[in-house]
Amino acid sequence: MSRKIRLGAFLPGGGQHVAAWRHPDAPSDGATNIGFHIRLAQTAEKGLFDAYFLADGLSVGFSGGREGGSAKAAGFEPVTLFAALSAHTSHLGFIATASTTYEEPYQLARKFASLDLISGGRAAWNVVTSTGDETAQNFNRDEQLPHAERYRRAREHVDVVRQLWDSWEDDAFIRDKATGEFFGRDRVHEIHYKGEFFQVKGPLNAPRPPQGHPVVVQAGASEDGRDLAAETAEVIFAAHQTLAKAQEFYRDIKARVAAKGRNPAEVLIMPGVAPFVGRTQEEAQAKYDRLTSLILPEEGLALLNGLAGGTLDLKGYPLDGPLPAQDTTEGNKSRQILIREIADRHGFTIRQLYQYVATARGHLTLIGTPETIVDTLQEWFENEAADGFNILPPWLPAGLDDFVQLIVPELQRRGLFREQYEGRTLRENLGLSRPVNPWTEARAQLAAE
Amino acid sequence: MSRKIRLGAFLPGGGQHVAAWRHPDAPSDGATNIGFHIRLAQTAEKGLFDAYFLADGLSVGFSGGREGGSAKAAGFEPVTLFAALSAHTSHLGFIATASTTYEEPYQLARKFASLDLISGGRAAWNVVTSTGDETAQNFNRDEQLPHAERYRRAREHVDVVRQLWDSWEDDAFIRDKATGEFFGRDRVHEIHYKGEFFQVKGPLNAPRPPQGHPVVVQAGASEDGRDLAAETAEVIFAAHQTLAKAQEFYRDIKARVAAKGRNPAEVLIMPGVAPFVGRTQEEAQAKYDRLTSLILPEEGLALLNGLAGGTLDLKGYPLDGPLPAQDTTEGNKSRQILIREIADRHGFTIRQLYQYVATARGHLTLIGTPETIVDTLQEWFENEAADGFNILPPWLPAGLDDFVQLIVPELQRRGLFREQYEGRTLRENLGLSRPVNPWTEARAQLAAE
């Protein structure tokens, strides 16, 4: 079987683009409309996407200055939503974001095990450390934990969660009505975890998930983030503007994965892509122009400032002039630098910059016909830049409908994408192996000696 | 409209009775079988139950000595499960248990708001403080918090959660595509909570739930528990063996509710009932005998010990002899005393005691025809002992099917129970009013002055 492109669909009900909800074809209440989310999930499944992905934060996100009315301020808790969506689908995977900083491993392991059971093996966990003081202030703190501490905690958290998922062996449940033996006491294990941050006895009060472990997803770009991803992740989301940058990241991550003693083929790298597709280039460009024209200037500036971690206040500068030089010594520098690079590369004015960034927030925006868009996807896929893509339809539902109707057939025509789902679980569809239970493995080794 | 009986259905997939999974008609994997839970939810809705209730703990529960194979060791996280079940039902409410000791208010408020949105206003929160060192050891502690501290924390937790549910006013979302105004900034509020246990800034990143607040449920029998229930609960589950005890509790709670300045009619008291129903008394008794014969003696003894908080070790005593006198100075005395009262009242041997307790764990067991069972329910309902009942079918699905087919029609014939759902939300069906948003109320008062 030839290697195939994997596809995630990033489908926040309110749309990815900051002005998505203002589009005439979009429901303005999409962010909190369950019926709309069901329709999106069913469309993604029709398009044979591997998974529906939801980012998530644990605050309203006012601190970036978007108080005027961000459509993303309020939404569903992802695992709760996905449990409901799993009832309306049969093959689509669900990648839910959950925080290692503000959730306890026991509860997190349990809810993902539950989602995996409920969906028949379609759950994935996008591991995030939840940045920002605003979030910390919803969880008994004044300020967030330092970056390095958040990542140490994340590493330990994932470790605890995985041990909990393994605390019951796959064959633990006997359920013999005649003898009354419900499970084998030698097939369930206390984990007695004691680390820097967590002390967890176990076992988990849920069986081992159908997938062994729900798929673990990560999206760190910092040094700590790359290391954590190389150690723990099976799918890695990334944001790149150019093939060269994507290749550099791809090779760096695969090398780190190998250095950790893991198989690089078992770690899928999926850059984000926001496509505007038309039957002609003009039609595609018109879709882009239509959506970008809906961005309110104050919202565009707030978006840039928010993405730069509050370090890029552009109020008062001419919108149709260049980005002014500013101090980059504080805050989240790597993100401000990414934004400045985009402006420099394209020679953007402030307005053009926020229009461009609003679409995909650092991900690649592609405006074109099915052929030209698939040309780019194929180029990245075949040249060590991507194992697949996380598709960010700029507005919904039309951006997703367009992808399914126009781009998926072109991918299939070139033999780059599946004609039907390969399996029933997300792991089977992604081509990822099912984790071996270490307790079971240890027993098998003992028996072989 | 005359007062009607409210009905909750306690439907752990593995059955209520300790031997339920061994019954020939029960699926042995019911506890973790999503298809079986869907069938139960649909049957409960067909029977016009107000709500599906799930208890929950945050450990496997081995400490009581039931290591031989309790069917309750592993199950679904309730909110995740109910989100899926809401997709298969349209009117049934969902009462999910969640812990004030081990969950953060922000996340808890969000997941229940999400479930309420997803289900169209059918969510309820059963507030528990999660007893036991075994649970504490899954959450970074060696021992559980002292009883009084758990209850102080619970009171504060419920307060934070309610304030978060109110942090967006009902009319906060404007979603004006023309102006770009998504919400009214004066309709969303930071709560700046600072208490003994929690410091939470808010607002919640979810809209106000359709019900205003999901219904708040409680089941405390201790002094602290009764006070917390009187202060915060809208539905109270209880466990009583006699009409007199139920009346005493009912009057005590209603008086406490009134003393807190709340309307006693807005607090529904629902004792638990485990019914064995047959077309004849003999048929009902045969069902009881059949199920109790499936209890393994060591499991029966472990059950008694577990219910008594580990203070009642009966190993080695003759099963067909009386309960020996034992020290009651340590552990959970109130629960051991309840168990001893049952033995004394009925003159039970040890075997008879665990058989009886296994069925309903302190709740009322009724064995009879539809007429005799409804006689008792009616007597309690009409004599200040109950506003409704939490039905605990001893084994599933037959115990639930029996109730829907045999008892519901008898309740309806006597005009004691609905012929169809009164509304779409759980509050509407329970006859509970929708909480006023205090911010909205304050503005209305200001405007009126």
Side-chain angles (χ1 to χ4, degrees):
Chain A
M1 199 182 73
S2 67
R3 186 170 158 257
K4 301 284 184 193
I5 286 179
R6 311 300 172 185
L7 289 181
F10 180 54
L11 304 174
Q16 156 63 13
H17 191 283
V18 69
W21 70 274
R22 296 184 66 201
H23 196 285
D25 301 339
S28 64
D29 69 343
T32 50
N33 179 330
I34 179 67
F36 185 60
H37 283 80
I38 293 168
R39 180 210 191 285
L40 295 177
Q42 290 174 335
T43 304
E45 183 161 275
K46 196 176 130 216
L48 303 174
F49 274 88
D50 288 274
Y52 187 143
F53 165 57
L54 273 183
D56 197 50
L58 298 172
S59 69
V60 287
F62 286 171
S63 62
R66 301 188 294 280
E67 304 190 7
S70 166
K72 299 174 200 296
F76 297 106
E77 193 278 321
V79 172
T80 311
L81 174 65
F82 283 151
L85 298 185
S86 76
H88 296 278
T89 52
S90 57
H91 288 77
L92 186 67
F94 296 103
I95 305 172
T97 297
S99 171
T100 54
T101 303
Y102 301 112
E103 297 197 40
E104 285 290 323
Y106 199 88
Q107 267 293 75
L108 191 149
R110 182 120 181 277
K111 76 179 183 180
F112 278 93
S114 298
L115 180 62
D116 208 47
L117 267 171
I118 287 168
S119 64
R122 296 187 279 141
W125 171 27
N126 179 40
V127 178
V128 298
T129 67
S130 306
T131 59
D133 294 341
E134 190 191 344
T135 302
Q137 288 156 15
N138 289 328
F139 293 88
N140 311 319
R141 298 184 59 86
D142 294 320
E143 295 176 358
Q144 65 176 332
L145 297 175
H147 190 270
E149 190 175 335
R150 283 208 314 280
Y151 276 86
R152 283 205 314 281
R153 187 181 153 104
R155 185 169 284 111
E156 199 175 299
H157 195 297
V158 174
D159 194 16
V160 179
V161 167
R162 284 195 155 134
Q163 289 194 31
L164 288 169
W165 284 334
D166 286 333
S167 59
W168 293 83
E169 296 185 51
D170 290 310
D171 63 353
F173 293 95
I174 297 164
R175 303 189 185 103
D176 185 327
K177 289 189 178 186
T179 65
E181 199 178 15
F182 194 77
F183 56 80
R185 192 62 187 82
D186 64 331
R187 296 289 195 272
V188 54
H189 308 277
E190 291 169 357
I191 68 169
H192 295 288
Y193 195 98
K194 274 194 209 304
E196 181 186 354
F197 300 94
F198 301 110
Q199 179 184 324
V200 180
K201 183 179 173 195
L204 189 63
N205 60 347
R208 193 161 195 252
Q211 295 186 102
H213 302 173
V215 176
V216 174
V217 181
Q218 254 267 293
S222 68
E223 273 298 305
D224 283 338
R226 289 181 190 214
D227 270 341
L228 179 64
E231 253 178 61
T232 65
E234 301 170 274
V235 171
I236 297 175
F237 290 150
H240 303 295
Q241 291 289 317
T242 65
L243 175 63
K245 290 271 185 194
Q247 287 173 322
E248 187 188 300
F249 180 82
Y250 186 97
R251 290 169 189 156
D252 177 61
I253 292 287
K254 296 269 176 168
R256 287 179 199 238
V257 168
K260 302 277 183 196
R262 301 178 63 206
N263 177 2
E266 294 270 349
V267 178
L268 306 174
I269 297 177
M270 297 170 60
V273 173
F276 290 83
V277 59
R279 282 165 184 81
T280 63
Q281 182 71 31
E282 293 66 37
E283 188 186 311
Q285 187 65 44
K287 289 181 180 180
Y288 178 82
D289 293 343
R290 175 72 185 268
L291 191 58
T292 54
S293 74
L294 296 171
I295 307 169
L296 298 172
E298 63 267 32
E299 191 146 30
L301 298 182
L303 175 67
L304 292 177
N305 195 21
L307 283 175
T311 65
L312 192 63
D313 184 358
L314 296 171
K315 272 180 214 136
Y317 291 94
L319 293 181
D320 296 313
L323 197 63
Q326 276 192 349
D327 181 22
T328 58
T329 51
E330 56 168 332
N332 196 326
K333 280 188 292 184
S334 68
R335 289 199 287 171
Q336 185 178 147
I337 290 166
L338 178 69
I339 292 167
R340 289 188 172 275
E341 281 175 358
I342 296 169
D344 290 348
R345 188 165 51 252
H346 297 275
F348 280 153
T349 65
I350 291 176
R351 189 195 307 273
Q352 287 168 329
L353 179 64
Y354 75 62
Q355 287 181 341
Y356 185 88
V357 169
T359 307
R361 306 194 178 199
H363 296 273
L364 181 67
T365 299
L366 294 177
I367 304 169
T369 63
E371 291 73 25
T372 64
I373 287 176
V374 172
D375 284 348
T376 301
L377 300 183
Q378 183 166 9
E379 184 185 21
W380 286 41
F381 178 63
E382 294 179 346
N383 290 284
E384 296 197 324
D387 297 309
F389 300 93
N390 191 30
I391 304 302
L392 301 90
W395 81 111
L396 295 167
L400 177 64
D401 294 344
D402 280 357
F403 193 93
V404 170
Q405 287 162 24
L406 300 173
I407 298 183
V408 166
E410 180 62 20
L411 286 168
Q412 290 171 325
R413 199 183 59 74
R414 299 192 196 183
L416 294 167
F417 190 58
R418 63 170 62 93
E419 301 280 343
Q420 58 186 32
Y421 284 104
E422 293 84 2
R424 285 301 293 264
T425 72
L426 177 57
R427 280 187 182 280
E428 287 165 1
N429 288 317
L430 289 172
L432 296 172
S433 56
R434 188 173 185 277
V436 171
N437 186 304
W439 300 98
T440 313
E441 193 176 33
R443 185 181 303 103
Q445 281 173 350
L446 264 176
E449 276 164 15
Chain B
M1 199 184 70
S2 67
R3 183 169 162 258
K4 301 284 183 193
I5 286 180
R6 311 301 172 185
L7 289 181
F10 180 54
L11 304 173
Q16 155 65 13
H17 190 282
V18 70
W21 69 275
R22 296 184 67 200
H23 197 283
D25 301 340
S28 64
D29 69 345
T32 50
N33 179 331
I34 179 66
F36 186 59
H37 282 81
I38 293 168
R39 181 211 190 283
L40 295 177
Q42 290 174 334
T43 303
E45 182 161 274
K46 195 176 130 215
L48 303 173
F49 275 88
D50 288 273
Y52 188 143
F53 165 56
L54 273 182
D56 196 50
L58 298 171
S59 69
V60 287
F62 286 171
S63 62
R66 298 189 295 281
E67 304 190 7
S70 166
K72 298 174 201 293
F76 297 106
E77 192 279 322
V79 172
T80 311
L81 174 65
F82 283 152
L85 298 185
S86 76
H88 296 278
T89 52
S90 59
H91 289 77
L92 185 67
F94 296 103
I95 305 172
T97 297
S99 170
T100 54
T101 303
Y102 301 112
E103 297 198 41
E104 285 289 323
Y106 200 88
Q107 268 292 74
L108 191 148
R110 181 116 181 279
K111 75 178 184 179
F112 277 93
S114 298
L115 180 62
D116 207 46
L117 267 170
I118 287 168
S119 64
R122 297 187 278 142
W125 171 26
N126 179 39
V127 178
V128 298
T129 66
S130 307
T131 58
D133 294 341
E134 190 192 344
T135 302
Q137 288 157 15
N138 289 329
F139 293 88
N140 311 320
R141 299 184 57 85
D142 294 320
E143 294 177 357
Q144 65 176 331
L145 298 175
H147 189 270
E149 189 175 337
R150 283 207 315 279
Y151 275 86
R152 285 206 313 281
R153 186 181 155 106
R155 185 169 284 111
E156 200 176 297
H157 195 297
V158 174
D159 194 16
V160 179
V161 167
R162 284 195 155 133
Q163 290 193 32
L164 287 169
W165 285 334
D166 286 332
S167 58
W168 293 83
E169 296 185 50
D170 290 310
D171 63 353
F173 293 95
I174 299 163
R175 303 191 184 103
D176 185 328
K177 288 188 178 187
T179 65
E181 199 177 16
F182 193 76
F183 56 81
R185 191 62 187 82
D186 63 330
R187 296 290 195 273
V188 53
H189 308 275
E190 291 169 355
I191 67 170
H192 295 288
Y193 195 98
K194 275 194 210 299
E196 181 186 355
F197 300 93
F198 301 109
Q199 179 185 323
V200 179
K201 184 180 173 193
L204 189 63
N205 59 348
R208 193 161 195 253
Q211 295 186 100
H213 301 172
V215 176
V216 174
V217 181
Q218 253 265 291
S222 68
E223 273 299 305
D224 283 338
R226 288 181 190 215
D227 270 342
L228 179 65
E231 254 180 58
T232 66
E234 302 170 274
V235 171
I236 296 175
F237 291 149
H240 304 294
Q241 291 290 317
T242 65
L243 176 64
K245 290 271 184 193
Q247 287 173 322
E248 186 187 301
F249 179 83
Y250 186 98
R251 289 167 188 157
D252 176 61
I253 292 287
K254 296 269 176 170
R256 288 178 198 238
V257 167
K260 301 278 181 195
R262 300 177 62 204
N263 177 1
E266 294 267 350
V267 178
L268 305 174
I269 297 176
M270 296 170 60
V273 173
F276 289 82
V277 59
R279 283 166 184 81
T280 64
Q281 183 70 32
E282 293 66 36
E283 190 185 310
Q285 187 65 44
K287 289 181 180 180
Y288 178 82
D289 294 341
R290 176 71 185 269
L291 191 58
T292 54
S293 74
L294 296 172
I295 307 170
L296 298 172
E298 63 267 32
E299 190 147 31
L301 298 183
L303 175 69
L304 292 177
N305 195 22
L307 284 174
T311 65
L312 192 62
D313 184 359
L314 297 171
K315 273 182 213 132
Y317 291 95
L319 293 180
D320 297 312
L323 198 62
Q326 276 192 349
D327 181 23
T328 58
T329 51
E330 57 167 332
N332 196 325
K333 280 189 291 185
S334 68
R335 289 199 288 171
Q336 184 178 147
I337 291 166
L338 178 68
I339 292 167
R340 289 187 173 275
E341 281 175 359
I342 295 169
D344 290 348
R345 187 164 53 253
H346 297 275
F348 280 152
T349 64
I350 291 176
R351 189 195 308 273
Q352 287 168 329
L353 178 64
Y354 76 61
Q355 287 180 341
Y356 185 88
V357 168
T359 307
R361 305 192 179 202
H363 297 273
L364 181 67
T365 299
L366 295 177
I367 304 168
T369 63
E371 292 71 26
T372 64
I373 288 176
V374 172
D375 284 348
T376 302
L377 301 182
Q378 182 166 10
E379 184 184 22
W380 285 40
F381 178 63
E382 293 179 346
N383 290 284
E384 297 195 324
D387 297 309
F389 300 93
N390 190 31
I391 304 302
L392 302 92
W395 80 109
L396 295 168
L400 177 63
D401 294 343
D402 280 356
F403 193 93
V404 170
Q405 286 161 26
L406 299 174
I407 298 184
V408 166
E410 180 63 20
L411 286 168
Q412 290 170 326
R413 201 184 58 73
R414 300 192 196 181
L416 294 167
F417 190 57
R418 64 170 62 92
E419 301 279 343
Q420 58 185 34
Y421 284 105
E422 295 85 0
R424 286 301 294 265
T425 72
L426 177 57
R427 280 186 182 281
E428 287 166 0
N429 288 317
L430 290 172
L432 296 172
S433 56
R434 189 175 185 278
V436 171
N437 185 305
W439 300 98
T440 312
E441 193 175 33
R443 184 181 304 102
Q445 282 173 351
L446 263 176
E449 276 164 16

